[in-house]
Amino acid sequence: VLGSASPIAPHGIAYVSDISPPADLANNMGMLQGFGYFIGLMFGAVVSLGIGNATENADGSTEFDKLFYASFGLGFIISTTGILNSLFLLPESLHKDDRIPSLDLKRANPLGFIPIVTRN
């Protein structure tokens, strides 16, 4: 379940940086990260306790395959919900003047970051 929200965090950071005025950017980023960690710590313990209790046998032992499938299923549901919300409910946040007009294959190089990183 832990990894299900990790792809959503960079998109949230990008969205907040697009919609925040420069004067409020640091405050909004702090609120996003603070609430994200707080909610994760608060609900993560409750969710893991619920999954553990739901997969526990009558004698107190836990079958780890049930635990794995329950965790995987819940993580899949959370990830899918986040992806669908991002694709269909979240409006475009980048201003039209700041968008790149077309895809340039020269800029789409997956190893294009290496010259930037290895500069002085």
Side-chain angles (χ1 to χ4, degrees):
V1 176
L2 176 64
S4 66
S6 59
I8 297 171
H11 296 97
I13 292 169
Y15 188 78
V16 167
S17 69
D18 285 346
I19 65 169
S20 298
D24 295 334
L25 182 62
N27 185 30
N28 292 345
M29 287 289 183
M31 298 255 303
L32 173 72
Q33 294 293 322
F35 281 126
Y37 289 126
F38 173 73
I39 290 171
L41 287 172
M42 187 173 70
F43 288 118
V46 173
V47 168
S48 64
L49 179 66
I51 290 174
N53 286 339
T55 58
E56 188 175 353
N57 292 331
D59 61 353
S61 65
T62 301
E63 294 182 27
F64 290 107
D65 58 341
K66 288 182 184 177
L67 185 65
F68 171 76
Y69 290 129
S71 298
F72 179 79
L74 183 62
F76 180 77
I77 290 169
I78 291 170
S79 297
T80 305
T81 303
I83 289 169
L84 293 176
N85 283 337
S86 298
L87 288 176
F88 297 114
L89 299 178
L90 198 63
E92 175 63 48
S93 62
L94 192 60
H95 194 269
K96 288 185 180 184
D97 296 336
D98 295 333
R99 297 180 196 165
I100 297 174
S102 64
L103 177 64
D104 183 16
L105 292 178
K106 188 175 182 180
R107 293 184 63 187
N109 181 5
L111 302 176
F113 71 94
I114 293 175
I116 297 170
V117 172
T118 57
R119 288 184 200 159
N120 294 343

